[in-house]
Every structure is written in C-alpha cells, then in structure tokens.
Amino acid sequence: MTQKEDILQLPISFKNIRLIRLNLPQKEQFVSGIGVRNSREALIIEWEDIHGVKGYGECSCRPDPYYSDEFIEGAIALVDQFIVPFLVTNQTFGDLLKLLDKIRGWNFTKAAVEMAALQVIEKNTGKSPFELLQNKPLDHVPVGISLGLYTELDRMKKVVKNALETGYKRLKFKISPNVRIDFFEEINPMLFAADTYVSFDANGSFGENDLEIFNYFANTYQSMIEQPFAPNRFDVLLKAKKENPDVYICYDEEIKSIGDLMKLHHLGLLDEVNLKVGRVGGVMKSIEIIQYCAEHNIPCWIGGMFETGIGRTLNLRMASYLPNARAHDLSPSDRYFLEDIVQPNIEMNNGMVAMQSLQNCEIQSNLIDKYTIDQKTLEATC
C-alpha cells in the first residue's frame, strides 16, 4: 500500500501559474439562504511545469464573502503575493504542502493550487494521493440534487416532480427562516410517496428565534438538516439540541479542518458530515477526514459549490471512495450550466454517475476562452 511519505516525496516542477476568471451562465436562477445567483463565477488555476505539462484546479469560493471569508479577488491576491513568490523551479509535493499550510485560512484557494499541482504530478508519475484510501472506488456514484428556495408553488411542484422522475437519489431543499412551510405541506404527498431520501440545508440562516420553524422540518421529516445555524453560534446549536435531542444535524460550514471534526465528534454533536474538498483545504486534508470518519462510523458524503467540470470531476472521484454514502451533492453539468468547460458533459443515469465516463472528460480551451472575463499569468521568480 502506498504510504503518505511516498506521496509527499513526489516531484513537482514549476514554470508559471495562470489565474483564469470565468463566468458561466446558468440555466436558471438559484436562490438559497445566502442569496440569488444567475451564473457561476469561478477562478481556475492552471499550473504549468518546466516541461509544459499543465494541471487545473478550481477555487470553489464565491465572488463575495457571504458563504465563507474567501472571495475571488482575495484568492487572486493570495496566490500572487503569498504562494507564487515562494515556489521554486523544482520541489516536492510535500514542500508545496508546507508552503500552503503556512497560510492560515484560505482553504478554497489552497485546495485549487494543490489540485492543479496534483494533476501535473499524476500526468508525470501516474501517482496520486487517492492511493492512500483503502476502499476500492465505486464504478457508479449516487448523486442528489440541491433545490433552491421558491416563491411560486407551481414552480416548486414542477421542479420536484421532474427531480423525482429523473431518479436523483436524494432531494435536498434549501430552507431559511422565511421559507414557505405551506408550500412544503402542498408537496409532502409527493415526497412521502416517493422512494427518495429527502433532506434540508439552511446554510446557517437560522437563529435562536427561529427554532419553531427549524423544529417543523426536524419533526415532520425526521431527516437530516444541514448547517441550520451559523458556525459561530454554538450556543444556538446547543439550545436546539436541548429542545429536540433527536434532531439529526449534518455539518458543512462548521468543519474546515480535521480539528473541527474531532471537536464536534468528542462533544457528541456530530451526526453527519458534508465534506467539501475545497472548504477543508484540498485532497490531502479530505483524505484525512474520510479516514477519520471511516474509523469512527461517521456518515460522510461529498458536497459541491456548483463547480464547473474541473472541480466536479475531482469531487466525483473523491465520492467514489465513499461506498456507504446515500448520495452526493454532485449533479451533472447540464443541471446548472448552459455549457460546461469540459466535454463531454458529466452525465447521470437514474441518479448515478458512471466513473468510467469521466475518463473521457477533457477541458476545452475554446470554452475557457469563451467564458473568460479576466486572466493573469504569474511566472516563477526563483
């Protein structure tokens, strides 16, 4: 079995990094507790080594600091000022991780740099950190769909009906203190009649005065509620657990590191984990969390940040090593985008993505050029 030390010693040379800012139009508007989005603005990091081999990583942060304290302009500045100036022509993967670990926070940005470097390493050596995982990867990965907040009942019914007919393995509804409970009362017959797992995601929007609405979802569905409270309102979490001890909470924004995971686990508050590769700092950090969850029988699945095909394929690859997950928030490309930047599109059949199909997905430079709104190349300085 491959050892971590072997992975850390893999060589990675550096010529330049190209920062590519894209804006991909969505098929439809998406509304959550964070806000309204009509397109996916993304930062792609292209790492080129001294032999011209290129790798790509996607920074999954938003253009604004409303989901996390990272945002695209800040990510660009971080790479420019605190990463590229300290890269050398030749180093090991372990050297790169030490450089990234020195930077506090900015996990999405560091994960994108790591991802781009790992693509180059894998192309050159055939080796990757995924070899550290003991599970045999799945051939087909179950995926779910994330449904936004709705202001029109007919529209909500139509979307739910379509999602059920499409075969998604899970329907996850965005909720907030302002959600229309009467809408859910209307669609409940559809949900309860279907053999599909239903869960909810509040994006930290509930406060101590919203527990009545929170308890409606916890008690009516007896299902997972993801990140109901802001990560910094541990007091509200404890109050909700005291009022409703059986409530089943999945953590998302709360977990940015293995330390956050272990803290919640030892406090007896950890029911389930939505692992976002970018949010925890990349592939190596994610593998550490997956291994801890497996050792302690903690349900874990992979969440997404509406990534393009670059980030989506990596997320699906990570998801393939979680055989017990009900579903992952990794819908196919055509669920969100008018046009993705990988071809062929990532496709789903009856709620499953065939991993074999991802081997043919390739980045299309013409589509990157089409949707690029800004770019910057940073050369090696030493």
Side-chain angles (χ1 to χ4, degrees):
M1 180 178 174
T2 302
Q3 300 297 315
K4 182 177 179 180
E5 291 73 20
D6 299 329
I7 298 297
L8 295 178
Q9 290 304 312
L10 292 171
I12 174 71
S13 68
F14 175 67
K15 179 183 178 183
N16 62 58
I17 274 179
R18 184 161 67 115
L19 301 170
I20 309 166
R21 193 167 182 170
L22 305 175
N23 195 21
L24 269 65
Q26 293 174 192
K27 283 189 170 182
E28 60 184 23
Q29 188 178 83
F30 189 86
V31 183
S32 71
I34 296 173
V36 179
R37 195 188 63 248
N38 295 296
S39 63
R40 161 66 174 157
E41 192 170 337
L43 175 63
I44 305 300
I45 292 180
E46 178 192 85
W47 179 303
E48 183 176 358
D49 75 0
I50 59 175
H51 303 292
V53 178
K54 296 179 180 179
Y56 294 86
E58 180 167 352
C59 181
S60 301
C61 72
R62 290 168 54 96
D64 53 58
Y66 300 147
Y67 172 83
S68 73
D69 48 11
E70 287 184 71
F71 58 101
I72 289 178
E73 286 290 349
I76 291 171
L78 185 83
V79 176
D80 189 357
Q81 298 176 37
F82 297 102
I83 295 179
V84 169
F86 302 98
L87 293 172
V88 295
T89 303
N90 291 288
Q91 61 236 295
T92 66
F93 179 52
D95 293 332
L96 173 62
L97 291 186
K98 287 180 182 178
L99 168 61
L100 297 178
D101 284 344
K102 188 176 180 180
I103 300 167
R104 291 195 179 187
W106 297 92
N107 284 349
F108 284 117
T109 310
K110 294 188 294 187
V113 173
E114 181 211 50
M115 176 182 172
L118 282 174
Q119 277 199 5
V120 173
I121 289 172
E122 191 163 13
K123 287 178 181 179
N124 287 334
T125 69
K127 298 287 186 179
S128 90
F130 288 97
E131 297 172 17
L132 300 173
L133 291 166
Q134 297 183 16
N135 290 330
K136 180 182 177 182
L138 299 171
D139 293 328
H140 294 82
V141 172
V143 298
I145 187 173
S146 184
L147 302 174
L149 294 167
Y150 295 94
T151 57
E152 298 177 4
L153 179 58
D154 288 343
R155 174 62 181 159
M156 186 179 188
K157 284 183 175 180
K158 182 179 179 181
V159 171
V160 171
K161 181 175 182 294
N162 179 261
L164 291 171
E165 292 175 348
T166 302
Y168 284 100
K169 300 304 181 185
R170 176 178 62 204
L171 271 60
K172 189 177 78 173
F173 292 90
K174 296 289 187 179
I175 57 174
S176 79
N178 300 318
V179 72
R180 292 288 299 270
I181 289 179
D182 57 321
F183 283 14
F184 281 92
E185 290 291 312
E186 287 283 341
I187 68 166
N188 278 345
M190 298 169 61
L191 300 178
F192 294 149
D195 185 23
T196 304
Y197 182 53
V198 174
S199 67
F200 305 92
D201 182 8
N203 289 118
S205 60
F206 283 84
E208 59 184 328
N209 298 321
D210 307 312
L211 294 185
E212 183 178 351
I213 299 174
F214 167 77
N215 286 328
Y216 166 82
F217 288 99
N219 297 330
T220 302
Y221 300 90
Q222 296 182 336
S223 181
M224 175 263 283
I225 300 181
E226 182 181 334
Q227 199 62 53
F229 314 112
N232 61 350
R233 291 307 303 270
F234 197 67
D235 56 323
V236 182
L237 167 63
L238 293 177
K239 181 178 179 181
K241 275 282 194 179
K242 184 176 181 180
E243 285 189 13
N244 197 340
D246 296 328
V247 66
Y248 190 86
I249 294 178
C250 174
Y251 292 91
D252 180 8
E253 292 98 320
E254 201 97 6
I255 297 176
K256 297 181 181 179
S257 68
I258 185 70
D260 294 331
L261 177 77
M262 294 172 68
K263 176 184 70 177
L264 291 167
H265 178 224
H266 290 308
L267 288 172
L269 297 170
L270 186 64
D271 297 317
E272 187 166 309
V273 176
N274 170 0
L275 171 59
K276 290 193 172 85
V277 178
R279 193 192 61 241
V280 301
V283 172
M284 293 295 286
K285 306 292 187 185
S286 296
I287 288 173
E288 188 178 23
I289 286 174
I290 287 173
Q291 290 171 332
Y292 184 92
C293 287
E295 291 169 4
H296 297 89
N297 297 313
I298 300 168
C300 177
W301 48 275
I302 304 300
M305 291 286 290
F306 302 97
E307 287 92 348
T308 72
I310 292 175
R312 197 168 296 266
T313 52
L314 175 78
N315 288 338
L316 283 162
R317 187 175 181 185
M318 189 70 73
S320 72
Y321 286 90
L322 293 169
N324 299 320
R326 294 186 189 222
H328 306 270
D329 276 358
L330 303 172
S331 295
S333 301
D334 60 6
R335 158 75 175 100
Y336 300 111
F337 305 122
L338 292 173
E339 194 172 32
D340 202 348
I341 56 175
V342 299
Q343 294 293 331
N345 280 337
I346 298 169
E347 297 182 348
M348 179 190 76
N349 182 23
N350 195 31
M352 308 290 281
V353 173
M355 293 304 295
Q356 181 69 28
S357 67
L358 301 187
Q359 296 180 9
N360 300 320
C361 285
E362 295 196 1
I363 297 165
Q364 304 298 305
S365 58
N366 62 315
L367 294 178
I368 287 183
D369 292 341
K370 179 178 179 179
Y371 294 111
T372 293
I373 57 176
D374 194 19
Q375 61 179 308
K376 181 178 185 179
T377 300
L378 306 173
E379 304 284 347
T381 58
C382 53

